[in-house]
Every structure is written in structure tokens, then in C-alpha cells.
Amino acid sequence: MAKEFNPDYPSMDDLRNKAMLRIPRFAFEYLDGGCNEDVSVVRNTAEIREVQLQPRYLRNKGISSTKTTVMGMEFDAPFGIAPVGLQGLMWPNSPEILAKAAHKNKIPFILSTVTTMHIERASELTEGNAWFQLYNPAEDSLRDDILNRAEAAQCPVLVLLCDVPTFGYRPRDIRNGLALPPKMSITNILQIMGKPTWAFNTLKYGQPTFETLKPYTPEGLNLKQLGQFMDKTFSGRLNEERIKPIRDKWKGKLVLKGVASEQDAQDAIRLGFDGIIVSNHGGRQLDAAQSTISSLPGIAAKYGDQIEVMMDSGLRSGPDIARAMSSGAKFTFMGRSFLYGCGALGNKGGDHTISMLKTQFKQVMDQLCCERVEDLPKHLIPNESK
Ligand SMILES: Cc1cc2nc3c(=O)[nH]c(=O)nc-3n(C[C@H](O)[C@H](O)[C@H](O)COP(=O)(O)O)c2cc1C
């Protein structure tokens, strides 16, 4: 086991349970929840776990390598840290913890436009290796300013998000009056008082704010104002006209995140994207959505030779990553998992979560008798054979 691995937390459930004890409820519910009745968030993981893989035992095998290449870069494992907004609200300083851990462990870290660390700091911590996720800015000047900053910060990959034409309908966040900085209602104060490590660290690192957007954002927005600000600043719905200037200006790799249909995958190829992330935003946008593990195989089979097909939503373990890779993903991402890690283990949460997932994933490769991650699809048991 790697020295970063903490044997008290060998599974994602262990990390999630511990994180729940250490994060104030309003922030934990923002992290953990899906939307509406949580159907999609539950379905994502449940359907991933329907995927079965076939082991081979009576065969010699060399050492399994978890390394793989995506977007022209080699990584030590086939998973990365998905962009998550407001990270510092869920665990103080978590974007720094995760960017450092990703860089140290040679996996990608994607910085969200609306998280609590700015592009320049992400770049500094990762020596120019952080990917940047962009919401679609309504104003061309804002778009160009952010793109210039991402380019100056040497971000190798720009990830354009397409699945937020509207803000997700999340009853818990509405009830909790989710805000940045946290709204000081009596309920929220009581929740914070019950989580002293979180409260102490928030004092230590300061109130979380939208760092990348600081030059453009008014302060102290509640959920309603945040929605209005986001609506005004980012015109949610993407289309060809809005994508073209981004593709023309951005010289690095361009990825479309939130693809859930073959038609959108086909458009992404036509519009010059280098990759897509098949994603339903972790079940946080459309509660009636198809799980990503069910939309992935068709998209990968049809377009996997024309565009790099990655996937997220619902993965929580090494076997889950292997299931997704076997089903056609060239690479995977996780959002909540790494924040559970930070919530549970603070500064050590990033390294531990990566180490745990890698250990679990490698164990699956050894069981399957798989030396290279690219060979995983050979082990998929087709539905008709189950
Ligand atoms: C609390 C939270 C905030 C998120 N914020 C963003 C965001 O700002 N930008 C984005 O592209 N995706 C965002 N996502 C979606 C993630 O990038 C990713 O698609 C999702 O978390 C994957 O599902 P998983 O959490 O089951 O791994 C967010 C997800 C969560 C849980």
C-alpha cells in the first residue's frame, strides 16, 4: 500500500460517512445531493454496478500498469478530478489540497469557473497542468478575458460545459438558502458550531469566494442572487455560434462536458472538439436523465475513433472505474469522491482518495489478467451473455 493510504478509510462509504460528520449539513447536502427527487444520482451508480467483467486466471501476466494517455498527456491512472464549484465551502482550502494531490499523483485536475481558487493559483500548484472548465460567458469580452487568463496560465485543456442551460432544481439547497459566503441564519450557525474543524479551517483560510470571477462578481450573493448573477454572466445554453469563437481562439485541446446523446457527440466532432465527457453532471441537472453508463457504450462505439470519449457521474470505486473503461471510456472523472476525501481527512484527503482508488483499480486489473488499461474492454461481459 502507498504511504498515503489510510487503512481506516478503505472505501468511499468510509470517507463519505466521516465527511458527513465533519461538514455542516447545508454544505454536505450541496455536495452530496442530486436534483429533484435524486433519481438520477442514484441511478448513475446503480447502473454502473450492473456492469460485469470477466477475469482470466490460468494465464501468465506481466505487471499491470494503470498509466494511460488522454488529450496527448500521459497520466498515472485513468481517472481525474472533475470540476466542482464552491469547493472551499464544502471543505476549506480543498481546491488547493486537490490540485496539489492531482499534480503529485500525476492525474488531471479540472478547475471549475465557479470554484474558490483562481486559475492562476491552480496553474502555479500544478506547474501549468491544471485543466480549466468554462461556463459559457454571455459577454464576448468576459469570455475573451477568461480565455486569455487560461492561456497565460498555460492550461493545456479547456473544458466547455454544456449541461447547465438552467440551474439544477435542488430542493435541499433551496431549503438551506445556500449562499456564498454561507448565510448566517440561526440554523446554519448551529450547524457550523457543531463542526469545529470545518469552522476553524474556514477562519484560517478565509471565507470562500468565486476566486476566478472575483474581478467581475458582486459580493455576498444568496442562492437567488447567485442564480441571477449566473444567468446574467453566463448564458447557459450553448450553441454553434457561441462555440465557434471559442474554438477559433483557444489553441489548446478543447473538451465538451455534459454530452448525453449521440447527436451532441456528433456535433462536438463537427465543431472541432478534441474530446467529450459523457456526463449528466453527477445527476444534478436532469432527474429524468439516462445514466452515463448506459449512454456511454453507444457514443464510444460510434465516435470513439474520431474523438476521445471520457466519462463521469456515479463512479465511486476502482471496480467502477474499470467498469466504465470496459464500457468504452478512454478516461474517467469523479466529482464528489474527492470532496468526501477532503471532508474526511482534510489535507491528506486528496492523496488518500487517489491512492485508495488506484489500489482498488489495480486489484481489478490483476484479477482480470489485464496488463494495460486499453485492454479492459476485452473483459466486458455483454448484456446478452449475463
Ligand atoms: C457539488 C458539485 C458541484 C459541481 N460543480 C460543477 C461545476 O462548477 N462545473 C462543472 O463542469 N461540473 C460541476 N459538477 C459536476 C462534476 O464536474 C461531475 O460531472 C460530477 O460530480 C460527476 O459525478 P460524481 O460526483 O458522481 O462523480 C459539480 C458536481 C458537484 C457534486
Side-chain angles (χ1 to χ4, degrees), residues 30-33 41 44-45 82-86 90 112-115 133 135 159 161 163-164 170 257 279-284 312-316 333-337:
Y30 171 67
L31 168 64
D32 198 58
V41 71
N44 276 333
T45 305
V84 167
L86 313 186
M90 291 167 274
S112 161
T113 310
V114 291
T115 196
Q133 172 266 316
Y135 277 90
V159 177
L161 184 68
D163 61 12
V164 186
R170 305 184 188 136
K257 175 172 184 280
S279 167
N280 61 24
H281 214 105
R284 292 167 71 82
D312 76 19
S313 299
L315 305 164
R316 298 283 181 273
F333 287 93
M334 279 157 281
R336 294 177 180 88
S337 301

Side-chain angles (χ1 to χ4, degrees), residues 23 31 81-82 84-102 109-111 115-117 125 198 201-202 205-206 208 335-336 338-351:
I23 301 177
L31 168 64
I81 301 180
V84 167
L86 313 186
Q87 282 161 316
L89 180 75
M90 291 167 274
W91 193 258
N93 206 34
S94 56
E96 293 224 358
I97 297 170
L98 294 177
K100 282 184 201 159
F109 169 81
I110 313 181
L111 185 83
T115 196
T116 53
M117 174 168 74
L125 292 173
W198 183 96
N201 279 310
T202 298
Y205 293 108
R336 294 177 180 88
F338 296 103
L339 267 305
Y340 293 147
C342 290
L345 297 172
N347 289 340
K348 297 187 172 158
D351 285 331

Side-chain angles (χ1 to χ4, degrees), residues 51 82 91 119 132-133 154 157 164 203 212 218 223 236 255 268 270:
V51 175
W91 193 258
I119 309 179
F132 181 69
Q133 172 266 316
Q154 297 175 310
V157 181
V164 186
L203 283 176
T212 295
L223 189 67
V255 168
R270 186 172 54 78

Side-chain angles (χ1 to χ4, degrees), residues 255-289:
V255 168
L256 187 65
K257 175 172 184 280
V259 173
S261 69
E262 292 184 13
Q263 292 87 336
D264 281 346
Q266 196 177 24
D267 284 345
I269 294 167
R270 186 172 54 78
L271 294 169
F273 284 90
D274 302 289
I276 53 175
I277 304 181
V278 176
S279 167
N280 61 24
H281 214 105
R284 292 167 71 82
Q285 290 296 113
L286 173 65
D287 211 24

